[in-house]
Amino acid sequence: MDDEPPRHSPSRDDEAAVQRLLEKVLTETLLYRPERPLEFVVQYLDELCGSTTETTKAFRRLVAAQRSPDQFLDECASVYAAMAATSLQSPYCGRDDCARLAKACAVDMPEHISDMLVERISESCGVIVDFEQFSAIARVCVDCRGVTRDCRDAWHLLEPGRPDAVVEREDLLRIAPQLALPN
């Protein structure tokens, strides 16, 4: 006979817990209206079930709120507070915190572009960074991240697997209806 442990049949409590979890995920998805809902749901479930830091959670919410100005500022304040709590310049953020934010946003960019963004962000900061400057830096970083992803998506629609392809005007017109452009 097999030495497999007996399977656990879900109880009503388990089903209720899954139901609450799904309601919470759906509510957050509808609240933030992310451009990539599936990616958002995966990250959100990871936050709920994993051991993610407050800074990481705040960063993910910041990126998800990219298209909503009021929500973006709220989430930016959360990132600032989470980073300031562990910063050497506490209760403020510092140059290194801004560089960490830029590096996190630049993860999808080519390495030389990522390095350049992080360097420019670091150079533009003082030792202590107030919330106003931090929120402007966060906006630049998150927008650069979004543009990079949009460009990558457009490129894959044009020439999947061909990084050296030449893109013609007609190609861009052909894929334009497939691109999700901001309002």
Side-chain angles (χ1 to χ4, degrees):
M1 296 224 152
D2 288 342
D3 290 335
E4 286 184 33
R7 290 193 172 203
H8 171 72
S9 59
S11 69
R12 289 194 184 267
D13 290 340
D14 292 338
E15 290 175 10
V18 169
Q19 180 71 25
R20 284 190 305 275
L21 179 66
L22 288 175
E23 286 174 6
K24 193 171 191 174
V25 168
L26 230 101
T27 301
E28 290 295 311
T29 305
L30 292 172
L31 174 69
Y32 287 103
R33 298 189 186 281
E35 287 187 21
R36 293 177 176 80
L38 185 58
E39 181 180 308
F40 177 83
V41 168
V42 169
Q43 288 179 348
Y44 190 77
L45 286 171
D46 183 46
E47 284 178 24
L48 290 177
C49 302
S51 58
T52 308
T53 67
E54 280 306 311
T55 303
T56 302
K57 290 176 185 178
F59 171 74
R60 288 179 179 166
R61 289 190 310 266
L62 177 73
V63 170
Q66 179 179 2
R67 304 275 188 232
S68 170
D70 292 337
Q71 184 112 27
F72 184 85
L73 275 178
D74 290 345
E75 299 306 341
C76 194
S78 295
V79 172
Y80 188 84
M83 292 183 101
T86 60
S87 177
L88 295 173
Q89 283 74 34
S90 186
Y92 300 99
C93 283
R95 178 182 295 131
D96 293 342
D97 300 310
C98 292
R100 280 185 20 227
L101 176 66
K103 192 169 186 82
C105 287
V107 73
D108 291 334
M109 297 177 189
E111 190 173 347
H112 69 285
I113 302 292
S114 171
D115 292 344
M116 185 174 61
L117 177 68
V118 172
E119 182 182 326
R120 295 274 164 82
I121 293 296
S122 293
E123 290 171 357
S124 72
C125 297
V127 175
I128 292 177
V129 179
D130 65 12
F131 178 72
E132 187 176 351
Q133 184 180 18
F134 184 86
S135 63
I137 289 168
R139 171 52 68 194
V140 167
C141 291
V142 171
D143 285 350
C144 286
R145 181 179 193 264
V147 167
T148 299
R149 286 181 168 208
D150 291 344
C151 288
R152 185 190 61 224
D153 293 349
W155 189 258
H156 287 295
L157 285 171
L158 286 167
E159 292 292 337
R162 289 206 39 225
D164 61 339
V166 175
V167 179
E168 302 291 335
R169 181 177 185 273
E170 291 77 28
D171 294 326
L172 291 174
L173 292 173
R174 175 176 54 83
I175 67 158
Q178 298 173 52
L179 299 175
L181 301 174
N183 294 335

